[in-house]
Each structure stands twice: as C-alpha cells, then as structure tokens.
Amino acid sequence: MLRRRLGVLFTAVLLTPAFVLFFVSSPDLSGEQALVQRVAEMRERLHHAEMLNQQRLQDVMVLSQKFNTILQPILQKNGTGYGQQLSKETRMLLSNLSRSSAPDLHLPSIYSYLPHLLRSPESTSPAFKLSRGRHSVSLVLGVPTVRREVQSYLMTTLANLITSMTPQEMKECLIVVFVAEWDIDYVHQLASQIERKFPEHLESGLLEVISPPESFYPDMNNLRQTLGDPMERVRWRTKQNLDFAFLMMYAQPKGTFYVQLEDDIQTKKGYIATMKKFALQKTAEKKNWFVLDFCQLGFIGKTFKTIDLSALVTFLLVFHNDKPCDWLLDHLVQNKVCRFDQPSKHCKKAKENVWIHYKPSLFQHIGTHSSLKGKVQKLKDKQFGKIQLFFPHNNPRASVETMIKPYKTYTLQRAYRGESYFWGLLPQQGDKLLFNFDPPVSLKGFLFRSGNVEHPSDRLYNTTVEVLPVQPLSRLPHNIRTKLKVTNDSYLIIGEFDDMGVAEGSVQEGLGVVRSLRLSVHEESDNWAILSEIHILTPDSR
C-alpha cells in the first residue's frame, strides 16, 4: 500500500513546476540525463521513505507486544483484578487489541550486543543536542570530533565544508558534528564556539551538534585484548566503532545519502554537486553499489545510502571490540560479494562493483596528530591535488617590517606580495607587523587571516589593527576622534583579531589618507603565527 501511494506521489512530482524547473536549469546535463538522474533521486527517496515506514512498523509491533503483556492479567476471565471492574464493551475492545500472542522468537537488537544499555534507558539518546530538526535532506555529512591535545582542525574543516557549498546546497544538506566526548562542560564549550562562528548555519538547520552519553559505551577498562594490540589502542578503536555507530543511527532517518568525514579534512568547491551527481548516476545505471569512495584514506569520504546503514551499524556493534572500523567495512563488503572457493582476484573484482571509487579525490586529510595519543600520521591522498595554504591579493605599494623572526623563506615581504604566507616564530607582547605605504593611501577596508588549513592553531591572538593618518588627530572629524581608541604614539585602533584568528573590517570615511598600518601583538603566544591572507582595500581595489 505504501509503495503504491508513494508511486503515485513519485509520478506527480515528476510533473510539478519545481521538477520542470530543475529539468530545464541543469546547464551541464542534457535533458535526458537530467530526467534520468531526477528519476534516480526520486527512487532513492522512495526507498528511504519505505525504510522509515518499516522502522515505524517495528515500533508498532514492539508496542503491541508490550501492550499484550500488560493486558493479559487484566483480561483473565476468572481473575479478580481490574478486569472484573471493566464494562463488557471495554473488555472486548482490549481483547481485540491483544489478540496477537507473545512471540516465540526473540529478535536480535542493539541490546544483544550492548546489554548494558538495558540498565540505562537514556543511553540511546544524545547527552547534548543542538538542532533545528532538519530532515528529508539529500546528503547528511557526519563529522565526528574529539578533544585534541596538540591542535584542533574542526573550525577550519567546518568553514571549508560550508563555504564550498552553494546557497541551494546549504538547503539540501545537513552537517552533524558529533562531539565524541563525555565531559559535558567541554561539549558545551565547543558548541558555544560553533555558535559564535556559525550562528546563521545553526539557525538555518544546516549545522547540528550532538554528543553521546557515556552510558552508551561498555566498561572501557573491561574490554578483551584483540589482534595483539596494546589495550590503549583496543580502547581507542572500540570507542571509534561505537562513535561511528551512534552517529550513523542518528543520521539515518534524516536524509537519502550519508557521508562519513573527519574533523581534519579539506574539500573542493562543488563537492556536493559532484557527489550527488555520481551517486545518482550509479543508481540510474542500476549499479547495486554499497560504498561510493570519494577519498582513498581510511573512512574519509565513504558514502552510503542511508537504507544500507543498518547493515554497517550492526557489523560495527557486533565486532566493536574486535577490529578497526575500516577493516570491518572491508570485511562486510567482502562477505556480501566474495566467494571463498575462488581466487582472490575474483573477490577483488566483485568488490569493485559495489565499492566504487571516484577520481580525483574530493577530500584531503590535513591533520598530523591522531586522536590516538602519541600517534602522528602524515597520510595524504595523492589524488586530491594541492591545498591552498595562502590567498594572494594585489595590495598597495608599501615597505613592510616586523620584529617577529620568520621561519625559513616565509617572510612578511613575500606574504604581502602574494607569493607565499608569513610564518613567524613565537610572537611576543609588543611585537609589531608594520606596513608603510608609499605613497600614503586612502583605506576602504582590510582583511587579515592568520593560520592555515595545515596549521590552524598558528594564529594571532589578542592582536589589534592600527593606522596612522597623515592628518594630525586634532584635524580629524569629531566622530572619529571620539569613537576610535588612540595609542600612545598616535595610531588609531580600527580592528582586532577574533578567536578564529581573523581581523576584518571597513574604514570610516573622514579618516583621510593613511601613512601606515600595523598589527600590534598584546600578549605572548605559545604558538608560531601564520598570516595566510593580507588584503588591504583602497578605492582602486578590485
């Protein structure tokens, strides 16, 4: 019945103005290709709706069985309980509701593999959830993150994922940040940081933040030692398996496709359109794929139909203590398609039909410090290409100088000319980065970005942007003199770096021609500092 109704809906959607608009507004697809991909997309949405319906039917069945168990004592004909106090009509109604007998089979469930969950009903709900309830999206992007001892790449990763989307794609996707930590204070702190950095995307529903309860996990000090690994590594990979399972179960009902990512990656412009087009193309070709692989490293960029996540989640739960997640994924695919009475080359070919690789890769791993303590991994996907580490601009002519010692050839002069980025050693309180304009210029605005994707923690902290006008301060308009703070050497403070290491702003009219601009560091830093973008805007800037 559901399939018939959805089939009618499916046909109706193809005739809607929205579909016709999509059909005629796909410049990179022929009319026939656009139609085929749209049909493939609707087919996948139909399968997802059927999956949700099956889940609701399972819920109804469980409730019916529990209801039957509760009603049996009441409906005993010769009993002396509440049943004797009910009217005949009420007893008949309850009898009809409890016709199904108790099942003879006990079906496996998550409690079969994690029996400790039975002691804590709240274990299968997030301990923290920041969400606008977005659902029915095309792609759900799962971004698990943990506290890192050296440096965090999360904000850089999220900014890159979001800015690489079009406005329309932002409406069709959902990014779930999964904070895999049990320290609720840390979770709240990280969520607040995300709120400050991406308020509009949290409000729109594009971004969600969740964290799991500690009670979801078994006693991590009572695991079996497997594969001959040290117990620290066994605990790390066991927790990662359960982290991924929790995240996938949360994401499954929210969209058609699910993409597993990490918190230290970068992507390319147009990645959403590329992934969706590739998935629908393989679906339209009747490819019975299980994994679409958009990165050659680990679990990054692995894409699944959400209707297939149940099999993967079950596999992760059953073998959570036994092997790493990427090995388990490989075993699952192998068990689905490989014969054990044939040479391995036949298995490899069979796996290639359901585990399809896309080239060139859409994601690159940028982190060097693993979430496993002490593990350094410099893995790079060679098919991705180069990552942009700095952003050049055509700035007004100026001489530049700084007291901060540069690392190798990463000088401030080269950064200002757009040839590289500036990388300085351990800024100290009182250090300056000075730009003397020759000739003096009128300023419209400025943008300074510190840190880059490979070293996101090498930022400028507690640093102000200051200018020295050619005119004496006494001749400047009253509103400028009263609004802007003045340093002891007559510089006006026009901006400062935020907690993401960015200083951006416009310059008030009336300031006149400016002789110099400088960045003033007001506290000692524990990190080196990178200036990856220097953009000084004048009336002639383009």
Side-chain angles (χ1 to χ4, degrees):
M1 177 64 70
L2 175 67
R3 177 179 284 271
R4 189 181 307 122
R5 290 177 179 173
L6 289 174
V8 173
L9 176 62
F10 171 56
T11 305
V13 169
L14 294 179
L15 302 176
T16 59
F19 171 73
V20 175
L21 177 62
F22 176 91
F23 178 81
V24 300
S25 63
S26 302
D28 55 340
L29 294 175
S30 68
E32 183 178 355
Q33 288 176 320
L35 177 61
V36 169
Q37 290 201 12
R38 188 60 173 165
V39 170
E41 180 178 10
M42 294 305 299
R43 185 185 300 123
E44 290 302 330
R45 287 184 177 273
L46 173 63
H47 291 160
H48 185 255
E50 290 178 328
M51 178 203 72
L52 295 177
N53 183 60
Q54 290 173 0
Q55 291 177 347
R56 300 294 80 79
L57 289 176
Q58 292 174 17
D59 293 340
V60 171
M61 183 178 295
V62 171
L63 287 173
S64 176
Q65 292 169 358
K66 292 182 180 298
F67 196 52
N68 180 63
T69 303
I70 295 172
L71 289 178
Q72 288 307 313
I74 299 177
L75 297 174
Q76 291 176 357
K77 291 182 179 180
N78 298 322
T80 59
Y82 292 110
Q84 300 301 312
Q85 303 175 23
L86 300 175
S87 67
K88 180 180 178 181
E89 292 77 7
T90 303
R91 288 200 300 272
M92 288 182 62
L93 175 62
L94 294 177
S95 178
N96 290 332
L97 290 173
S98 61
R99 281 178 179 174
S100 60
S101 59
D104 294 323
L105 300 181
H106 178 72
L107 302 179
S109 70
I110 188 173
Y111 303 108
S112 305
Y113 315 116
L114 300 175
H116 64 278
L117 298 181
L118 291 168
R119 301 191 297 268
S120 180
E122 70 279 1
S123 297
T124 53
S125 296
F128 174 88
K129 181 177 176 181
L130 183 61
S131 168
R132 303 295 291 181
R134 181 178 285 196
H135 58 85
S136 303
V137 299
S138 294
L139 286 172
V140 181
L141 310 179
V143 183
T145 185
V146 296
R147 191 201 306 251
R148 295 180 182 269
E149 293 188 355
V150 180
Q151 64 180 348
S152 172
Y153 305 87
L154 177 63
M155 297 302 167
T156 302
T157 295
L158 293 178
N160 176 252
L161 290 174
I162 293 171
T163 57
S164 298
M165 294 181 183
T166 66
Q168 182 59 35
E169 288 168 348
M170 292 181 189
K171 298 176 182 178
E172 299 174 353
C173 294
L174 172 63
I175 302 174
V176 180
V177 180
F178 178 81
V179 187
E181 295 289 345
W182 303 329
D183 182 349
I184 198 65
D185 291 334
Y186 172 77
V187 174
H188 281 280
Q189 175 187 343
L190 184 59
S192 297
Q193 190 177 358
I194 294 174
E195 282 187 287
R196 291 195 302 272
K197 178 63 178 175
F198 308 103
E200 69 276 21
H201 301 303
L202 283 166
E203 181 63 28
S204 71
L206 172 61
L207 263 179
E208 292 189 5
V209 183
I210 65 169
S211 71
E214 185 175 0
S215 56
F216 176 74
Y217 301 80
D219 183 352
M220 303 301 283
N221 293 316
N222 195 30
L223 300 173
R224 290 177 292 105
Q225 189 169 12
T226 54
L227 302 181
D229 284 344
M231 283 308 298
E232 183 179 14
R233 184 174 181 84
V234 173
R235 282 190 288 269
W236 173 75
R237 56 177 166 80
T238 295
K239 183 176 181 299
Q240 187 176 61
N241 285 334
L242 296 174
D243 288 343
F244 286 12
F246 192 104
L247 174 55
M248 290 175 183
M249 287 188 287
Y250 178 83
Q252 187 179 34
K254 296 183 178 295
T256 308
F257 301 107
Y258 174 77
V259 186
Q260 184 74 28
L261 298 174
E262 291 186 6
D263 64 351
D264 54 354
I265 57 100
Q266 289 286 284
T267 189
K268 301 174 180 178
K269 291 282 188 182
Y271 75 105
I272 293 293
T274 300
M275 292 167 61
K276 186 175 177 181
K277 179 182 176 182
F278 190 67
L280 295 177
Q281 175 188 336
K282 296 306 174 185
T283 299
E285 293 172 358
K286 300 296 194 297
K287 297 282 188 181
N288 189 26
W289 61 270
F290 186 75
V291 187
L292 297 182
D293 201 341
F294 294 97
C295 180
Q296 308 304 308
L297 303 176
F299 231 99
I300 301 172
K302 305 301 179 280
T303 301
F304 309 88
K305 303 169 190 172
T306 51
I307 60 174
D308 290 336
L309 285 179
S310 295
L312 179 54
V313 167
T314 301
F315 217 70
L316 293 173
L317 294 177
V318 173
F319 301 106
H320 64 270
N321 192 179
D322 299 300
K323 291 185 177 181
C325 56
D326 48 344
W327 292 14
L328 291 177
L329 174 59
D330 186 73
H331 290 329
L332 174 58
V333 173
Q334 181 174 318
N335 287 332
K336 288 174 71 69
V337 300
C338 291
R339 294 176 57 123
F340 291 97
D341 58 350
Q342 291 183 343
S344 59
K345 64 179 181 180
H346 293 282
C347 179
K348 181 179 180 181
K349 187 174 181 180
K351 287 168 63 176
E352 289 174 351
N353 290 328
V354 295
W355 188 326
I356 303 175
H357 294 266
Y358 178 87
K359 297 179 182 179
S361 298
L362 294 182
F363 301 97
Q364 178 64 286
H365 180 255
I366 61 172
T368 55
H369 299 276
S370 170
S371 55
L372 175 60
K373 185 177 181 181
K375 180 182 178 183
V376 176
Q377 51 185 22
K378 298 183 179 181
L379 297 174
K380 299 294 179 185
D381 191 328
K382 295 180 181 179
Q383 296 182 8
F384 181 83
K386 292 185 177 181
I387 292 179
Q388 189 170 4
L389 299 179
F390 66 97
F391 304 89
H393 293 283
N394 185 21
N395 292 309
R397 190 172 67 181
S399 61
V400 302
E401 58 186 82
T402 181
M403 293 173 273
I404 303 173
K405 183 178 179 181
Y407 174 66
K408 293 186 176 179
T409 61
Y410 298 101
T411 63
L412 186 59
Q413 290 82 358
R414 295 188 66 217
Y416 189 76
R417 292 195 298 264
E419 299 171 2
S420 181
Y421 55 89
F422 170 66
W423 201 359
L425 279 61
L426 296 174
Q428 304 295 309
Q429 182 177 356
D431 282 348
K432 314 286 185 186
L433 295 90
L434 183 62
F435 307 88
N436 293 313
F437 301 114
D438 182 22
V441 296
S442 296
L443 295 184
K444 286 176 56 181
F446 58 88
L447 169 61
F448 295 94
R449 190 182 310 276
S450 61
N452 63 23
V453 295
E454 290 189 344
H455 304 279
S457 296
D458 286 2
R459 301 174 184 154
L460 288 170
Y461 301 93
N462 197 4
T463 300
T464 52
V465 182
E466 305 166 357
V467 293
L468 180 65
V470 171
Q471 292 188 71
L473 295 181
S474 58
R475 295 185 181 179
L476 294 177
H478 178 73
N479 65 319
I480 291 181
R481 296 200 312 269
T482 56
K483 185 175 181 180
L484 299 179
K485 293 182 179 179
V486 183
T487 66
N488 293 333
D489 53 354
S490 300
Y491 275 79
L492 295 172
I493 300 175
I494 60 172
E496 62 182 345
F497 282 75
D498 60 22
D499 57 359
M500 293 303 298
V502 176
E504 183 175 13
S506 57
V507 178
Q508 283 185 290
E509 292 184 10
L511 190 61
V513 178
V514 170
R515 189 188 312 277
S516 301
L517 181 148
R518 73 183 182 189
L519 309 180
S520 294
V521 180
H522 298 288
E523 68 177 5
E524 180 181 347
S525 176
D526 295 329
N527 299 322
W528 292 10
I530 285 176
L531 263 183
S532 54
E533 186 169 10
I534 303 173
H535 193 193
I536 297 174
L537 291 90
T538 67
D540 298 327
S541 297
R542 295 181 180 178

